[in-house]
Amino acid sequence: MKQLSTKVTSNAHGQDSSYFLGWEEYEKNPYEEIKNPNGIIQMGLAENQLCFDLIETWLAKNPDAAGLKKDGQSIFKELALFQDYHGLPEFKKAMAEFMEEIRGNRVTFDPSKIVLAAGSTSANETLMFCLAEPGDAFLLPTPYYPGFDRDLKWRTGAEIVPIHCSSTNGFQITESALQQAYQQAQKLELKVKGILVTNPSNPLGTMLTRREINLLVDFITSKNIHLISDEIYSGTVFGFEQFVSVMDVLKDKKLEDTEVS
């Protein structure tokens, strides 16, 4: 008798891709300046390690937080028991305020419309389950994070159709590239349910321009499809260029409270 589901036993998990195989090789032989100068340098993982000293300093000054205490009293039982399935209300409020702050307080977020997840990986997979049936497709600009082939497709059965972007214009999204990707999905007899972008980009580190986001919003509106804007790296933007969130554009278009958002 078959003991495991097809989902588990299929090779659609993507763990045997060159991306994850390279990760395994790095873990076997990591570079270290003195002890292992001939080791492998991990260039395929986006981790903000520059904030560690700030977090450690804050935790040292606020020991109650690390000790699960509030005003010196333990709140472990309060946190350990069942919570609102959408996330701890106090945490959602703090998250909304943080997202507003890193967007220059130009836009606002309603905590009641926020659902917390264990990181962007699980959030993106959950969105695929909510928005796409097995065999439906999402369009993704290239190059995209290789883990999406696992995160978005494996358990959900969704498909990815690339929006081919070119280095000749800095990998910016163009209307012709959007139309070509949409038409390619139709040729493959795939129903397009939406577009997913990472802004700032993983792996490029570049930011979408206001023109590109306007183009995306107009395109999804004309096709009556979804737009997922993964802005997990919006808090680590450096330089003089201002980060533009999809919420900035929706506010400009007075669409913050419509189905388009």
Side-chain angles (χ1 to χ4, degrees):
M1 183 177 70
K2 187 177 178 181
Q3 298 294 324
L4 298 174
S5 71
T6 303
K7 239 173 232 180
V8 170
T9 55
S10 76
N11 62 359
H13 48 69
Q15 289 293 128
D16 54 356
S17 70
S18 57
Y19 173 71
F20 289 109
L21 292 176
W23 198 338
E24 290 176 6
E25 290 305 310
Y26 160 74
E27 291 178 339
K28 294 175 188 174
N29 185 29
Y31 168 84
E32 208 284 326
E33 184 177 5
I34 303 300
K35 297 180 180 178
N36 192 19
N38 295 319
I40 297 173
I41 298 175
Q42 171 61 284
M43 298 289 286
L45 183 62
E47 289 182 327
N48 180 13
Q49 298 187 17
L50 297 177
C51 65
F52 285 178
D53 59 335
L54 300 175
I55 295 174
E56 289 171 345
T57 299
W58 187 90
L59 288 173
K61 293 179 179 179
N62 298 270
D64 275 6
L68 302 179
K69 294 180 180 180
K70 184 177 182 180
D71 300 327
Q73 301 296 314
S74 174
I75 56 171
F76 174 76
K77 184 184 291 186
E78 177 184 337
L79 296 174
L81 298 176
F82 281 112
Q83 305 289 342
D84 184 328
Y85 285 166
H86 294 162
L88 196 66
E90 294 91 338
F91 190 13
K92 293 201 294 182
K93 180 176 181 295
M95 181 62 72
E97 292 172 351
F98 176 69
M99 292 193 298
E100 292 168 3
E101 180 183 348
I102 61 178
R103 287 160 181 78
N105 292 308
R106 299 183 303 273
V107 296
T108 58
F109 293 90
D110 182 351
S112 68
K113 294 182 179 179
I114 291 177
V115 176
L116 299 180
S120 58
T121 294
S122 59
N124 284 327
E125 184 182 51
T126 299
L127 283 169
M128 288 297 110
F129 275 118
C130 292
L131 303 179
E133 301 290 350
D136 289 345
F138 264 75
L139 310 182
L140 272 68
T142 61
Y144 61 78
Y145 165 53
F148 279 153
D149 287 321
R150 172 201 62 190
D151 303 344
L152 307 183
K153 295 170 56 177
W154 176 24
R155 287 181 285 235
T156 67
E159 298 291 340
I160 291 175
V161 175
I163 302 169
H164 291 291
C165 301
S166 170
S167 61
T168 57
N169 70 345
F171 295 101
Q172 290 192 7
I173 300 169
T174 63
E175 184 174 3
S176 61
L178 285 172
Q179 294 289 358
Q180 288 170 13
Y182 193 87
Q183 290 167 9
Q184 178 62 21
Q186 290 182 316
K187 287 180 182 177
L188 297 172
E189 298 184 345
L190 297 172
K191 183 178 181 180
V192 177
K193 296 303 293 286
I195 299 172
L196 186 149
V197 296
T198 55
N199 183 32
S201 166
N202 179 2
L204 294 173
T206 55
M207 292 182 286
L208 290 177
T209 64
R210 190 175 293 270
R211 180 198 64 79
E212 288 176 281
I213 301 175
N214 270 295
L215 174 64
L216 288 166
V217 171
D218 290 344
F219 186 83
I220 62 140
T221 304
S222 68
K223 301 296 186 184
N224 194 28
I225 58 177
H226 301 283
L227 173 62
I228 299 174
S229 184
D230 181 344
E231 300 181 1
I232 190 65
Y233 296 114
S234 58
T236 52
V237 173
F238 305 95
F240 298 103
E241 190 176 356
Q242 184 185 71
F243 168 72
V244 180
S245 167
V246 68
M247 290 298 291
D248 287 305
V249 170
L250 293 177
K251 182 180 179 181
D252 291 345
K253 291 177 174 288
K254 296 181 170 42
L255 296 173
E256 307 107 301
D257 298 319
T258 70
E259 290 185 1
V260 175
S261 62

